Amino acid sequence: MALYSEKVMDHFRNPRNVGVIEDANGIGEVGNAKCGDIMKMYLKIEDDIIKDVKFETFGCGSAIASSSMATELIKGKPVADAMKLTNEAVAEALDGLPDYKMHCSVLAEEAIKNALDDYHKRCEEQQ
Amino acid sequence: MIYADNAATTKMSDKAIETMVSLMKENYGNPSSLYEFGQKSKEVLEEARAKVANAIGANPKEIYFTSGGSESDNQAINSAAKAGALAGKKHIISSAFEHHAVLHTLNKLKKEGFEITLLDVHENGLIDPKEVEDAIREDTCLVTIMFANNEIGTIEPIREIGEVCKKHGIPFHTDAVQAIGHIPVNVVDDNIDMLSASAHKFHGPKGVGFLYVRKGVRLFNLIEGGAQEKGKRAGTENVPGIAAMAVALEDAVANLDTYGKAVTAKRNRLIEGISEISHSALNGDAVKRLPGNVNFCFEGIEGESILLLLDDKGIAASSGSACTSGSLDPSHVLLAIGRVHDVAHGSLRLTIDERTTDEEVETIITSVKEVVEYLRGFSPVWRDLISGKREFIL
């Protein structure tokens, strides 16, 4: 049996939404290099809708796949929906992760929440 | 597939397979049985013992067959500890980057009241015999230092360390799992009292190994039961496996010179090619290393991702990344030579052998370059490094 599901390998081999959004209005970064995982999420939000999302990840196969899947799950969705994203939903969409890799899906959830917090903070500052 | 993980395990030689299969089919007698059919197995067993002994310069009576490197390490260390405790000596000297079969055994002994000194292995992964001597105390009952490291391939000054131990009358054990069949080992010249080896690292079968114990060194059992192996290791002997190990070892040792020269040349080409990648570093001494071992750290990326992408390109390799082990910490070996966590996560071990072709070496170099560049392309750590937000370590 392979280490990861086909879904995980697909998102690892062909990650969706990789890169940087230069004019992002919400940026989140979680993890640290010491632990071997860093995820950075860039959001472009217009009219409370996530118009675009991109990510950069330093980490293992499941960290890269989790980032990719998380961006897919929130792209085009209202901010309120994205706020409800859970790590379980990310893992489930990937057809599961090995137990000791579940923390990768947690990081993906946190990276997105972090970016949304940044967006809300920027909105407050503008008002 | 390009197999570049020979330190994990090797392909069995045809001769070892044939030996094993023929014995399983035709000679299944128990060597402890007194009838002719059983005694035939006993003969096979003793022939194998003579071959193994000859390969390392030992006497056949000093060879004990085991299930492999881990068991041999466990028995040697626990036995020396028991002998030490009986004499009121409870101090053991080892190194920080031993195999877990040694380190975890030492940890267990520590909980039982032994004091363990783990020597520094320095940036190049080499232990200083002078430091071994300095660490020796009145109550030291064992020095256990690996012959060659399983991750970074550094070859330790075993002869010199053995000499120090001899001078002070302290038993010296070496985990030679990675060395046997790859570089010359002679237990007499190298001043070794106990040595562990594993067949599957030199084209023999898995689940078979041996422990060499110099005549006069006390040996206690790990496994109790029947009188096999002079009562020191109970359990019906794995005769086909043992015989296969002996022929594999005999061949490996007979070809050591050609193997060493050919594989070292390929290894050096690999090191040269991979060194062209910016912000990378070879782990372990460049010269005092096993013929087939290449181990690098790459800044800004993580090891498991490297392995998965190399696997997609048909290359089987290994990494000291935490993610490959299921723990949060990267390889204790890389940390022991002073690599910080950030960099130790991005390691790659390639271990080639005589079967690796020049063409495969070039494919590996090209593939590693592509994979590292690709992963750095979307690594936030790499972005911070090249934009100056984070300082390069390598």
Side-chain angles (χ1 to χ4, degrees), chain B residues 166-212:
Chain B
K166 204 175 182 178
K167 189 173 125 191
H168 292 268
I170 295 162
F172 174 43
H173 166 254
T174 184
D175 172 343
V177 166
Q178 296 289 333
I180 294 284
H182 296 271
I183 52 171
V185 174
N186 183 295
V187 290
V188 177
D189 296 345
D190 294 333
N191 305 306
I192 297 164
D193 294 314
M194 293 190 279
L195 175 147
S196 305
S198 180
H200 75 105
K201 307 290 191 187
F202 50 78
H203 305 297
K206 290 164 184 66
V208 189
F210 66 90
L211 173 63
Y212 154 80

Side-chain angles (χ1 to χ4, degrees), chain B residues 42-243:
Chain B
K42 178 78 178 163
E43 270 171 43
V44 171
L45 192 66
E46 295 316 313
E47 267 170 40
R49 200 183 308 278
K51 277 181 190 164
V52 168
N54 186 47
I56 60 166
N59 185 296
K61 287 180 181 160
E62 298 171 316
I63 304 296
Y64 299 86
F65 294 124
T66 67
S67 66
S70 293
E71 186 191 326
S72 297
D73 284 341
N74 272 261
Q75 185 167 10
I77 294 167
N78 281 309
S79 177
K82 192 170 174 187
L86 289 172
K89 295 177 172 186
K90 297 182 87 172
H91 175 238
I92 299 173
I93 299 167
S94 189
S95 83
F97 75 168
E98 295 295 313
H99 190 273
H100 284 131
V102 169
L103 285 180
H104 289 176
T105 304
L106 293 176
N107 273 340
K108 196 192 76 180
L109 289 169
K110 195 174 172 183
K111 283 181 195 142
E112 292 169 12
F114 281 79
E115 263 187 80
I116 314 292
T117 300
L118 295 183
L119 297 172
D120 188 5
V121 296
H122 309 277
E123 273 182 29
N124 57 356
L126 294 173
I127 293 151
D128 182 351
K130 177 77 177 59
E131 290 176 25
V132 175
E133 184 153 35
D134 291 346
I136 290 174
R137 311 191 318 208
E138 281 286 304
D139 61 342
T140 304
C141 63
L142 172 71
V143 172
T144 172
I145 303 281
M146 69 202 320
F147 210 115
N149 185 270
N150 52 309
E151 286 186 35
I152 61 173
T154 48
I155 302 169
E156 301 306 317
I158 291 302
R159 190 168 296 188
E160 292 76 10
I161 294 170
E163 207 173 302
V164 165
C165 295
K166 204 175 182 178
K167 189 173 125 191
H168 292 268
I170 295 162
F172 174 43
H173 166 254
T174 184
D175 172 343
V177 166
Q178 296 289 333
I180 294 284
H182 296 271
I183 52 171
V185 174
N186 183 295
V187 290
V188 177
D189 296 345
D190 294 333
N191 305 306
I192 297 164
D193 294 314
M194 293 190 279
L195 175 147
S196 305
S198 180
H200 75 105
K201 307 290 191 187
F202 50 78
H203 305 297
K206 290 164 184 66
V208 189
F210 66 90
L211 173 63
Y212 154 80
V213 182
R214 184 191 292 278
K215 188 172 180 275
V217 173
R218 203 163 173 191
L219 184 65
F220 290 99
N221 286 42
L222 198 63
I223 299 171
E224 304 291 347
Q228 293 89 354
E229 300 300 294
K230 288 183 281 166
K232 300 300 182 190
R233 203 279 187 181
T236 299
E237 302 88 342
N238 173 3
V239 180
I242 290 166

Side-chain angles (χ1 to χ4, degrees), chain A residues 3-4 9 12-13 15 18 20 29 33-36 38 40 42 55-62 64 100-101, chain B residues 300-302 304-305 308-309 312 323-324 326 328 330 341-342 345 374-375 377-381 383-384 389-390:
Chain A
L3 177 64
Y4 293 127
M9 287 311 292
F12 168 66
R13 290 187 183 114
V18 174
V20 176
E29 184 175 315
K34 197 170 180 268
C35 296
I38 294 187
K40 196 165 182 179
Y42 302 85
F55 81 91
E56 287 182 309
T57 291
F58 160 88
C60 59
S62 62
I64 291 168
Y100 68 102
K101 295 285 188 178
Chain B
I301 53 175
E302 194 279 330
E304 192 209 72
S305 304
L308 291 170
L309 291 171
D312 275 351
C323 284
T324 57
L328 280 177
H341 278 68
D342 313 36
H345 284 295
Y374 169 73
L375 288 171
F378 61 93
S379 160
V381 176
R383 172 176 296 279
D384 286 354
K389 271 191 213 161
R390 185 191 282 265

Side-chain angles (χ1 to χ4, degrees), chain B residues 272-351:
Chain B
E272 178 191 58
I274 295 172
S275 294
E276 287 166 12
I277 296 172
S278 67
H279 303 287
S280 67
L282 178 72
N283 293 313
D285 197 89
V287 180
K288 288 176 184 164
R289 68 187 303 134
L290 290 170
N293 180 291
V294 175
N295 190 314
F296 270 86
C297 276
F298 304 103
E299 203 155 5
I301 53 175
E302 194 279 330
E304 192 209 72
S305 304
I306 305 175
L307 295 191
L308 291 170
L309 291 171
L310 286 178
D311 190 18
D312 275 351
K313 291 173 183 289
I315 299 167
S318 162
S319 169
S321 140
C323 284
T324 57
S325 67
S327 88
L328 280 177
D329 282 321
S331 145
H332 70 287
V333 173
L334 297 176
L335 296 178
I337 61 165
R339 294 280 184 231
V340 295
H341 278 68
D342 313 36
V343 168
H345 284 295
S347 78
L348 171 69
R349 179 186 74 178
L350 298 158
T351 43

